[in-house]
Amino acid sequence: MPTSTLTVRWTDLADPLVRPLLDELAFEYATRYEGILAVDQIRAELETYPAAEFAEPDGALVLLLEDGAPVAGGAFRRRVEPELGDAARRPRVEGRDEAGLPTVPTAELKRIWTHHAHRRRGLAARVVAELEQRAADQGYPRLYLTTGPRQPEAVGLYLRAGYTPLFDPAAEATGPLPFEKWLGGTS
């Protein structure tokens, strides 16, 4: 029996191999958030940020390919928006101004995805590790991300990967669930 080959490909949003990632994310979100978000709202949100934000020098996009086909991926961009989450629950560390804006370079992880037929293989954890390493190589000391309340697998992934929730995990969530991670042992 032939063995499949898993390769890492750093690319950009124009790469045709990225389309399955975005299409499946839109379908996944539409299914999980049915009645809350319409498919057109989800597709619009996936295209909110210009492609340049996910390219160097401030961003990156990675795909894991198995025998040349995309099976997982994700990206990051430089975060410039105010932080989400209850201000009282945010860690009291240097790195945010009074409005909640990051004052240290912060990479925001986005679009973490695993093809539905390839889940439960640790591919998302590999994508997160690849993104963390690239962000560190680009000089980011801090990572930030959000996931949704109907994505418990993602919450588990980020907790296992060492991310700190910036929300009360014991409370019932209704909006985005923000996390952060400081690279290089800073927290």
Side-chain angles (χ1 to χ4, degrees):
M1 177 181 232
T3 317
S4 62
T5 303
L6 193 65
T7 57
V8 174
R9 178 177 179 148
W10 293 96
T11 189
D12 59 45
L13 282 172
D15 187 328
L17 291 176
V18 174
R19 184 88 267 161
L21 177 154
L22 297 176
D23 289 345
E24 193 163 329
L25 275 176
F27 176 78
E28 180 82 18
Y29 294 161
T31 302
R32 289 188 186 233
Y33 296 97
E34 186 175 6
I36 297 173
L37 294 172
V39 175
D40 58 337
Q41 290 174 303
I42 293 167
R43 288 200 183 276
E45 196 283 325
L46 289 174
E47 297 175 10
T48 298
Y49 306 105
E53 290 192 24
F54 297 105
E56 290 189 1
D58 294 325
L61 190 149
V62 68
L63 292 175
L64 296 185
L65 305 176
E66 188 167 69
D67 298 329
V71 294
F76 69 81
R77 60 185 281 277
R78 185 179 193 97
R79 181 161 178 84
V80 295
E81 296 83 7
E83 303 295 60
L84 296 174
D86 179 359
R89 293 208 40 87
R90 293 186 199 132
R92 304 259 185 239
V93 295
E94 188 175 334
R96 290 186 196 84
D97 69 9
E98 305 78 41
L101 294 171
T103 59
V104 297
T106 299
E108 180 179 15
L109 274 58
K110 304 288 283 178
R111 318 296 183 245
I112 308 299
W113 163 82
T114 301
H115 187 282
H116 69 276
H118 297 277
R119 293 187 177 155
R120 314 264 330 140
R121 295 177 47 197
L123 298 175
R126 170 95 184 264
V127 166
V128 169
E130 293 284 346
L131 292 170
E132 289 175 355
Q133 184 60 56
R134 181 61 67 103
D137 291 348
Q138 287 179 218
Y140 287 105
R142 179 176 177 261
L143 301 173
Y144 177 89
L145 63 89
T146 61
T147 192
R150 295 186 179 181
Q151 296 168 262
E153 306 89 345
V155 170
L157 168 69
Y158 303 131
L159 290 172
R160 286 188 304 277
Y163 285 77
T164 301
L166 301 178
F167 60 95
D168 182 354
E172 184 175 343
T174 58
L177 305 176
F179 290 83
E180 77 173 352
K181 183 175 185 177
W182 290 83
L183 300 173
T186 307
S187 60

